[in-house]
Amino acid sequence: MNLKRILAVTSRESRGMVRDKLFFAMAFIVPSLLILTFGYGLSLDVMHSPIAVLDYDRTPMSRDYLHRFIDSPSFSFQGFLKSERDIYPLLASGKVRAVMIIPEHFQKSLLAGRPTAVQTLIDGTFPFRALTVKGYVIGINNAFNMSEFSRYLSRTAGMSQERALSTLSPIRTEVRCLYNRNLRSDWSIAPRLMMMVMMICPPFLTAMGVVREKETGAIYNIYSSTITRGEYLIGKLAPYVLVSICNMAVLWFIATEVFGAPFRGDRLFFFAASILYVICTTGIGLIVSVMVTTQVAAALVTFIVTVVPTVFYSGMFVPVGSLSQAGRIVARLLPAMYYTNIVTGCFLKGVGFEVLWSDALVLAVYAASLFMIGYSRFHKRPAS
Amino acid sequence: MTKLARVLLRGMTPLYLRFLVWLRRLRVMTVKELLQFSRDGALILFMVYAFTFDIYLAGSGVKLQLNMASTVIHDNDRSFASRELIDRFRPPVFNVEGSISRADEGTHLLDHGKTMIVLDIPPRFQQSLLSGAPTHVQVRLDASNSVLGMFASSFCRRIVESFGFQTGLKRLGVDPRRLQSGPQVKDSYRVWFNPNQDDRWFMSIAELLNIITLFAILLPACAMVREKERGTVEQLLVTPLTTFQIMFPKVLAMAAVILAGTSISLFGVLRYCFEVPCRGSIILFYAITLLYVFTTAGLGLVISTIARNLGQAGMMAIITYGPMIFLSGAWTPPEAMPRFIRLLMLLSPLHYYIDASYGVLLKGAGLTLLRDSILGMAILGGALFGLGMWRMRRQFQ
């Protein structure tokens, strides 16, 4: 290892990067832009779901029932339908997400102490959304039933309505949502987005940088020089790691200041673990760049290899424990899951080294082995 | 040949012959692009990976619902009533993994991410229920994932509520069976288009659309920028080809490649592995996909007129790809977005494409229902293509 040669490659690479002004600017703009758009755009709060109603009853009671839905912030009422034929086009075109059908004799049955049935048709295209809408409907319906039943009891059994109500709901449920008391989706998503963005951008930068030399042939200068491959790789990757560390700091700032996510853990530990992670993802870029020969392939491959596994197999939306057996294995094989543990631990849970040391260790091993593979696959004398 | 002679000759050549030449030029250029594409082995390999395994991964692993949430019980009562309540926390939603005897053990498990829900049942729980005194249970849950936290919270509330309701009825001497005849609204549901709420359908289609988008932006943009970076565009410009004849074959070739990939994925993964139905016309789906690829390729061409090298083109593709997905409405529905973003969504071709493809595949929608989406794509595509051509011409003349 000759430090002078490493520094020469580093300074050459940094100069090349700085001189390509558009590329350089974007190296900094892309991560921030991604976290901002996804942070605002990936809100999974289901609110104001458009709903339409087919009311065959049209009585004060059916209106009272419906108003519990219309006045709720979960739904946005789109109007009454005239016949069942209107339902399909509305649901199929996505103009409404649910249609409620209230039968005839709704009021008559309830007043006579008999059950009645309301049917809800839900657009199941996105099961998550259908499930949430269903949950809202059940909740509102249960509340209505409870008040209706207690009114009925007070009428028939002669107890006060309040007493009936307290007898029917004797247990209070105290739900304490730890780490994210108000269930804010931006709190939970913003730190994880740091993980995702830092999984996409560093490999992209690195792969494009290394493959450009291969595609334009500039790498033959390296092949024919005295520099060793280790020195070349370290010198070449150092500027990209540096840029990514700066980006990491910017992302941290955006997550805490713009999205207001609380940072409760140990800053020093988080910083160290983040550097490890950035080195890891840069290593992925290195592996991609030794595999492909053109920049088009480099761009596409890094994108495909990084995005899907990090979004779906990292615990970003779905905890790793809820994945299928095969999914859990995929998750364990990738660095993203370990860094997700670190990010959520440091941000929301406020735990540090004592809990997360094993995740940090895996990242370190990962980074080292990626560089070993990259080193062994990179040859100064290409096969062909 | 003098200029005059050429003009005369062109005037004499019949129209159909000129059209034949035009077509042949288009064909030659398209074949050139396809050849160039076919020589990049790594690219083809990963394209196949993207259209098969990647979509399989995205479709199979993910369930955006509470699924076997690990639950730990802290039962201070150990009575008949508490056991009956615990028994209601069942798979597939909950997975009771054990019980603890001290409250701080629960905190420890939650902090280490070993469990998601801790249910605390207070002492004298049964006694209170029998005597009619109000009591409470505590649910502590890991809400670092807000979506699952919300699901868990509403599930737990519902379970405890219905348990309390039934014990309350029993105390009043009402037979729970009589409940069937009490005044109540029974809510029944029919989930249309995906009756079993199979997440794989949504996820795999969404991923297919994302992959199509990625390739439709990047491939034409890169094909164009590569010519610029290597200087071969100068050669093309001195040929008799028009700007349109240079640009359009790139889009044509890449559209063919993307449609091939889409077919592999549609029949090999979506239909075969996930049993995604195709309720509408499959020809309509292909037609819409083709239109979408052209629209998005227009975006790629605009990028290619701005970028000087492939590095820049790739960066710009990511910068447009991210917001496109965000503005597509697949994850966040339009109604949950602020007003100005809803207006911006009208500018995202993916927004129309997602509506149209879910419409055809899952909902069985036909042309009349999808008219707006198709129109939106066509208008956007025309505008983007026009802009790309205009910038290209300006750059090289």
Side-chain angles (χ1 to χ4, degrees):
Chain A
M1 284 280 153
N2 183 332
L3 196 64
K4 217 170 133 196
R5 288 204 288 243
I6 295 179
L7 283 178
V9 176
T10 307
S11 82
R12 203 216 103 215
E13 190 63 31
S14 347
R15 237 176 248 169
M17 192 153 51
V18 174
R19 280 189 189 153
D20 190 345
K21 293 221 171 51
L22 194 59
F23 187 79
F24 188 62
M26 288 217 254
F28 287 99
I29 294 170
V30 169
S32 310
L33 197 86
L34 283 182
I35 196 172
L36 284 173
T37 50
F38 283 114
Y40 283 116
L42 265 182
S43 141
L44 286 169
D45 303 331
V46 180
M47 298 273 279
H48 315 297
S49 292
I51 186 172
V53 174
L54 184 55
D55 186 356
Y56 284 120
D57 197 43
R58 294 180 183 273
T59 51
M61 215 157 182
S62 75
R63 233 162 291 147
D64 178 45
Y65 178 77
L66 283 175
H67 258 281
R68 287 174 180 250
F69 291 88
I70 295 171
D71 299 341
S72 144
S74 315
F75 295 103
S76 138
F77 178 64
Q78 301 292 315
F80 288 103
L81 301 182
K82 295 220 164 51
S83 83
E84 297 211 3
R85 260 176 311 172
D86 299 343
I87 297 175
Y88 173 76
L90 272 179
L91 277 178
S93 63
K95 291 209 174 70
V96 304
R97 259 179 249 300
V99 176
M100 213 165 216
I101 305 174
I102 297 192
E104 286 175 44
H105 312 308
F106 177 83
Q107 174 169 304
K108 217 168 115 193
S109 311
L110 285 181
L111 285 180
R114 281 197 314 271
T116 177
V118 167
Q119 195 177 40
T120 314
L121 306 172
I122 304 171
D123 174 358
T125 313
F126 188 1
F128 161 73
R129 225 177 273 158
L131 218 64
T132 320
V133 167
K134 200 161 138 185
Y136 290 146
V137 174
I138 293 178
I140 293 175
N141 189 57
N142 279 356
F144 179 82
N145 277 345
M146 194 70 97
S147 80
E148 206 46 46
F149 210 81
S150 61
R151 201 184 307 166
Y152 171 74
L153 275 181
S154 74
R155 228 176 29 230
T156 53
M159 55 167 62
S160 78
Q161 199 180 336
E162 266 160 48
R163 252 221 51 226
L165 204 60
S166 77
T167 320
L168 289 177
S169 47
I171 314 172
R172 202 156 39 85
T173 324
E174 225 173 77
V175 177
R176 277 179 55 206
C177 299
L178 299 174
Y179 317 127
N180 186 357
R181 206 183 310 154
N182 301 321
L183 291 172
R184 285 182 55 171
S185 105
D186 48 356
W187 279 24
S188 109
I189 213 98
R192 291 180 164 93
L193 279 175
M194 289 179 68
M195 177 279 295
M196 183 182 128
V197 171
M198 274 302 141
M199 186 58 155
I200 299 171
C201 293
F204 195 80
L205 280 179
T206 315
M208 292 304 258
V210 177
V211 175
R212 180 166 45 203
E213 296 212 321
K214 273 166 100 174
E215 197 176 4
T216 56
I219 203 151
Y220 284 96
N221 294 331
I222 303 295
Y223 290 158
S224 58
S225 73
T226 50
I227 193 168
T228 65
R229 47 188 177 143
E231 287 164 355
Y232 169 71
L233 287 179
I234 292 174
K236 178 94 188 170
L237 297 184
Y240 296 108
V241 173
L242 213 66
V243 167
S244 301
I245 289 174
C246 293
N247 275 328
M248 201 75 192
V250 175
L251 292 187
W252 185 79
F253 182 79
I254 292 176
T256 51
E257 297 304 320
V258 179
F259 293 111
F263 186 86
R264 299 178 175 134
D266 180 0
R267 278 170 205 216
L268 197 67
F269 169 74
F270 182 67
F271 189 63
S274 300
I275 291 180
L276 271 182
Y277 180 65
V278 165
I279 294 176
C280 252
T281 54
T282 308
I284 292 177
L286 174 67
I287 301 282
V288 170
S289 60
V290 292
M291 277 175 3
V292 302
T293 47
T294 61
Q295 292 183 70
V296 192
L300 284 171
V301 171
T302 37
F303 224 75
I304 291 157
V305 181
T306 54
V307 174
V308 163
T310 38
V311 173
F312 298 120
Y313 291 90
S314 63
M316 186 160 166
F317 294 118
V318 192
V320 172
S322 298
L323 292 175
S324 60
Q325 192 68 41
R328 257 177 275 177
I329 295 171
V330 174
R332 291 231 150 66
L333 288 176
L334 299 167
M337 182 194 92
Y338 304 99
Y339 190 63
T340 308
N341 288 344
I342 292 174
V343 163
T344 47
C346 283
F347 266 84
L348 298 169
K349 295 188 180 176
V351 292
F353 185 74
E354 69 287 353
V355 176
L356 302 167
W357 63 270
S358 56
D359 295 296
L361 188 70
V362 173
L363 284 186
V365 172
Y366 214 99
S369 37
L370 278 177
F371 272 85
M372 287 311 291
I373 296 172
Y375 177 73
S376 65
R377 301 286 308 152
F378 180 82
H379 298 294
K380 282 185 70 179
R381 187 173 302 218
S384 55
Chain B
M1 207 185 302
T2 61
K3 198 175 174 188
L4 185 71
R6 206 166 2 162
V7 169
L8 280 177
L9 199 65
R10 183 182 292 173
M12 281 185 291
T13 327
L15 200 64
Y16 78 92
L17 261 182
R18 268 196 286 162
F19 182 65
L20 273 183
V21 172
W22 188 85
L23 268 188
R24 174 175 290 179
R25 285 176 183 166
L26 216 59
R27 203 191 68 204
V28 169
M29 286 298 284
T30 310
V31 168
K32 169 211 160 241
E33 289 302 326
L34 284 175
L35 264 178
Q36 207 165 5
F37 176 81
S38 70
R39 289 196 181 137
D40 193 341
L43 183 59
I44 292 180
L45 197 73
F46 270 92
M47 193 152 176
V48 172
Y49 167 83
F51 274 106
T52 53
F53 200 63
D54 180 80
I55 289 171
Y56 183 79
L57 267 185
S60 62
V62 180
K63 269 195 186 143
L64 262 184
Q65 35 190 278
L66 208 57
N67 179 28
M68 298 301 271
S70 115
T71 311
V72 165
I73 312 285
H74 180 212
D75 186 357
N76 285 310
D77 196 38
R78 296 180 181 282
S79 60
F80 187 69
S82 73
R83 269 194 298 275
E84 203 181 328
L85 176 62
I86 292 164
D87 194 43
R88 295 186 177 212
F89 286 80
R90 278 189 192 158
V93 178
F94 298 98
N95 182 23
V96 176
E97 289 189 332
S99 56
I100 48 174
S101 49
R102 288 203 330 269
D104 55 339
E105 262 179 77
T107 317
H108 181 82
L109 286 174
L110 286 166
D111 274 349
H112 283 249
K114 297 262 187 277
T115 189
M116 186 184 170
I117 300 164
V118 176
L119 175 70
D120 293 288
I121 297 174
R124 290 193 294 284
F125 176 70
Q126 174 164 285
Q127 211 179 330
S128 312
L129 279 182
L130 289 175
S131 67
T135 178
H136 71 276
V137 297
Q138 196 188 47
V139 176
R140 283 180 289 166
L141 52 93
D142 177 351
S144 56
N145 184 328
S146 63
V147 172
L148 297 177
M150 185 197 71
F151 274 142
S153 146
S154 75
F155 269 120
C156 291
R157 264 180 219 281
R158 230 184 282 158
I159 288 177
V160 177
E161 217 170 71
S162 82
F163 177 75
F165 184 67
Q166 281 164 16
T167 35
L169 281 183
K170 246 183 256 169
R171 230 175 68 73
L172 286 171
V174 183
D175 185 357
R177 259 168 303 169
R178 230 195 83 198
L179 199 64
Q180 299 301 320
S181 57
Q184 56 166 333
V185 179
K186 287 186 187 147
D187 39 1
S188 65
Y189 307 93
R190 286 232 316 269
V191 176
W192 277 14
F193 312 130
N194 188 353
N196 301 324
Q197 283 141 74
D198 190 340
D199 272 302
R200 300 178 310 169
W201 293 5
F202 174 78
M203 291 291 175
S204 57
I205 298 177
E207 184 59 20
L208 173 62
L209 306 189
N210 287 347
I211 293 279
I212 291 175
T213 310
L214 181 64
F215 280 99
I217 299 179
L218 257 179
L219 286 180
C222 286
M224 202 63 221
V225 173
R226 190 166 40 204
E227 310 257 20
K228 269 163 84 172
E229 203 179 45
R230 293 195 180 155
T232 45
V233 75
E234 306 290 337
Q235 292 173 10
L236 288 175
L237 285 170
V238 295
T239 57
L241 297 167
T242 61
T243 321
F244 180 80
Q245 282 168 339
I246 296 174
M247 287 175 87
F248 193 67
K250 296 186 191 299
V251 177
L252 213 58
M254 297 314 161
V257 171
I258 290 170
L259 279 192
T262 308
S263 310
I264 295 176
S265 167
L266 188 63
F267 291 100
V269 182
L270 264 55
R271 313 246 10 214
Y272 182 74
C273 297
F274 298 145
E275 286 134 22
V276 176
C278 181
R279 301 208 171 96
S281 143
I282 202 128
I283 295 170
L284 183 60
F285 177 72
Y286 272 100
I288 290 171
T289 305
L290 194 64
L291 177 62
Y292 176 68
V293 170
F294 280 118
T295 304
T296 317
L299 196 63
L301 289 180
V302 173
I303 288 177
S304 74
T305 60
I306 302 170
R308 290 220 187 80
N309 55 44
L310 286 164
Q312 294 178 351
M315 282 295 202
M316 281 162 67
I318 295 192
I319 256 183
T320 43
Y321 183 67
M324 257 174 93
I325 292 192
F326 146 61
L327 290 173
S328 69
W331 292 93
T332 311
E335 67 265 13
M337 299 225 197
R339 197 176 169 74
F340 78 98
I341 292 186
R342 253 182 289 167
L343 289 176
L344 276 181
M345 284 179 83
L346 298 178
L347 290 177
S348 166
L350 186 57
H351 167 59
Y352 301 106
Y353 182 48
I354 276 186
D355 273 357
S357 2
Y358 281 115
V360 174
L361 291 177
L362 293 184
K363 300 176 175 176
L367 261 178
T368 40
L369 275 177
L370 302 175
R371 201 190 51 213
D372 292 354
S373 304
I374 293 173
L375 213 65
M377 267 196 280
I379 292 170
L380 270 178
L384 286 170
F385 235 93
L387 182 66
M389 296 266 295
W390 175 70
R391 282 195 52 99
M392 196 79 196
R393 267 199 203 122
R394 224 184 39 165
Q395 253 177 5
F396 290 106
Q397 276 171 9

